[in-house]
Amino acid sequence: MGIIVQKFGGTSVGSVERILHVANRVIQEREAGNQVVVVVSAMGKTTDELVRLAGEISSNPSKREMDMLLTTGEQVTISLLAMAIKEKGYDVLSYTGWQAGIQTEAVHSNARITNIETSKLKKSLEQGNIVVVAGFQGATVDGEITTLGRGGSDTTAVAIAAALNADKCDIYTDVTGVFTTDPRYLKTARKLHSVSYDEMLELANLGAGVLHPRAVEFAKNYSMPLEVRSSMENEHGTIIEEEVSMEKNLVVRGIAFEDQVTRVTVCGLPNALHTLSTIFTTLANNGLNVDIIIQSTTDQDTTNISFSVKTADLSDTVRVLEENQETLGFAKIETEDGLAKVSIVGSGMISNPGVAAEMFKVLADHEIHVKMVSTSEIKVSTVVEQELMVKAVEVLHDAFQLSVVESNQLTV
């Protein structure tokens, strides 16, 4: 008898009908002879509704009290799911995150898991129970309730699977697996049989919303096999593992994209040794993340630095820079919004150095101007005009033959 951890997101448990359906999926795994731990999110839009209620009371509510409020969403789900499983004749126990032994750092709203005390979970499983755990939450060593931030339920599931030395962790979503790109935008997108941890980590960081990067990182660190599966369709999904077992001929395995990107150019900075570290330390100290960075020296004494930020962070970015203009010593700030980032990802790119050149050629042939570029061993990201984002995805998807099941991938 193995241990299987299953995670069901908010859409999968968005109604009583869907909770009953999830109960059947859980029981099916139990009937296959496995011990089962189920991690669930809050029902549907529950978290959004709780945030809205808090906003009617305070424009800047305490993060501690927001954690107290938001953790109630998952508690509703675990109790209802446990009731549904019990009604079908199976022994089951539900636990909040802290009852399940999930310990976190002392940070409200975006805590990281530091330890999982598994004795209670193991005892419950040994007694023959199906165990249902609230995702997205834990507690500090002092007993303060915390939440894990965006993607917290994914992280909870993978962390519990690692702590229990489970055989597998299944992430159930509203899609049937990981696709070559978002099938909502491109009908020819194809489900992948498998992707590597590193590829999935890049795709997740670059805008693919099917899994949170922190959960993938956890799985990689503990070599925990993941499968992204549909909560509604009873079919195999996408395996995330150390090395892909199929479709090894694919140089590019997927295309990720995200809109609402803005380019910020800080002009007339001193051309000094510590200019880069000073400007980005200033932004980091104010909680602002930057992405693609380009430096261009204008003359011997001055330099310009361009970088991309999420459009939602633009006003804060400009404010912080202007507040520190005297220290940083720049002349002016220029911005360009209405941009998007389109990225190709694939471990095969390591041994195929012409992939970036092919990407740029394809975009140029379709009159898509590349404004910024960032590369790593297994990805190339480009910033393009937002109105051309979907077109860029389409032409790159075709060029790298990602719709073809047994592709004779372009040799570039």
Side-chain angles (χ1 to χ4, degrees), residues 212-226:
H212 194 270
R214 200 190 300 182
V216 181
E217 187 177 353
F218 233 118
K220 175 179 171 62
N221 289 342
Y222 290 92
S223 299
M224 175 55 57
L226 299 180

Side-chain angles (χ1 to χ4, degrees), residues 113-318:
I113 296 172
T114 57
N115 184 47
I116 299 182
E117 172 50 59
T118 59
S119 57
K120 184 179 288 188
L121 296 180
K122 287 180 177 178
K123 182 178 179 181
S124 295
L125 290 172
E126 288 167 0
Q127 291 173 341
N129 292 294
I130 294 169
V131 174
V132 183
V133 178
F136 179 67
Q137 60 184 243
T140 68
V141 291
D142 296 326
E144 285 290 307
I145 294 173
T146 57
T147 61
L148 307 182
R150 181 174 170 267
S153 292
D154 288 349
T155 307
T156 301
V158 178
I160 287 176
L164 292 174
N165 195 25
D167 295 81
K168 188 184 175 191
C169 181
D170 289 336
I171 307 292
Y172 288 87
T173 72
D174 53 358
V175 294
T176 57
V178 179
F179 282 69
T180 50
T181 194
D182 192 331
R184 294 173 298 178
Y185 289 81
L186 193 64
K187 298 302 181 186
T188 56
R190 179 175 57 82
K191 185 173 74 176
L192 292 163
H193 176 273
S194 61
V195 295
S196 70
Y197 293 126
D198 289 336
E199 289 170 331
M200 191 67 240
L201 196 54
E202 288 283 13
L203 288 167
N205 277 314
L206 293 168
V210 69
L211 266 178
H212 194 270
R214 200 190 300 182
V216 181
E217 187 177 353
F218 233 118
K220 175 179 171 62
N221 289 342
Y222 290 92
S223 299
M224 175 55 57
L226 299 180
E227 183 172 357
V228 178
R229 305 182 64 179
S230 168
S231 59
M232 303 305 293
E233 305 294 331
N234 193 10
E235 63 179 75
H236 289 296
T238 301
I239 301 292
I240 301 165
E241 54 194 348
E242 187 61 45
E243 184 177 347
V244 296
S245 54
M246 292 183 67
E247 302 171 310
K248 292 185 179 183
N249 58 319
L250 291 177
V251 173
V252 174
R253 199 170 300 278
I255 301 175
F257 55 92
E258 55 183 338
D259 58 8
Q260 301 299 316
V261 172
T262 295
R263 177 168 62 178
V264 178
T265 303
V266 185
C267 304
L269 284 158
N271 190 13
L273 189 62
H274 295 288
T275 294
L276 279 170
S277 63
T278 301
I279 189 171
F280 292 115
T281 298
T282 300
L283 293 170
N285 288 342
N286 285 273
L288 295 165
N289 292 319
V290 306
D291 190 8
I292 300 174
I293 301 169
I294 297 174
Q295 181 177 11
S296 55
T297 302
T298 54
D299 58 47
Q300 187 174 355
D301 299 319
T302 61
T303 186
N304 296 341
I305 296 176
S306 296
F307 55 88
S308 63
V309 297
K310 294 183 183 299
T311 301
D313 292 334
L314 176 61
S315 59
D316 286 339
T317 301
V318 172

Side-chain angles (χ1 to χ4, degrees), residues 3-33:
I3 298 176
I4 303 294
V5 176
Q6 300 176 313
K7 180 263 175 179
F8 293 90
T11 304
S12 302
V13 292
S15 65
V16 169
E17 181 183 10
R18 291 196 171 189
I19 287 174
L20 292 171
H21 177 76
V22 167
N24 288 331
R25 297 299 294 267
V26 174
I27 290 169
Q28 184 179 30
E29 194 66 67
R30 183 71 178 86
E31 285 296 305

Side-chain angles (χ1 to χ4, degrees), residues 97-117:
W98 50 94
Q99 286 177 320
I102 298 173
Q103 297 173 5
T104 76
E105 60 187 3
V107 175
H108 287 293
S109 81
N110 194 30
R112 288 182 173 270
I113 296 172
T114 57
N115 184 47
I116 299 182
E117 172 50 59

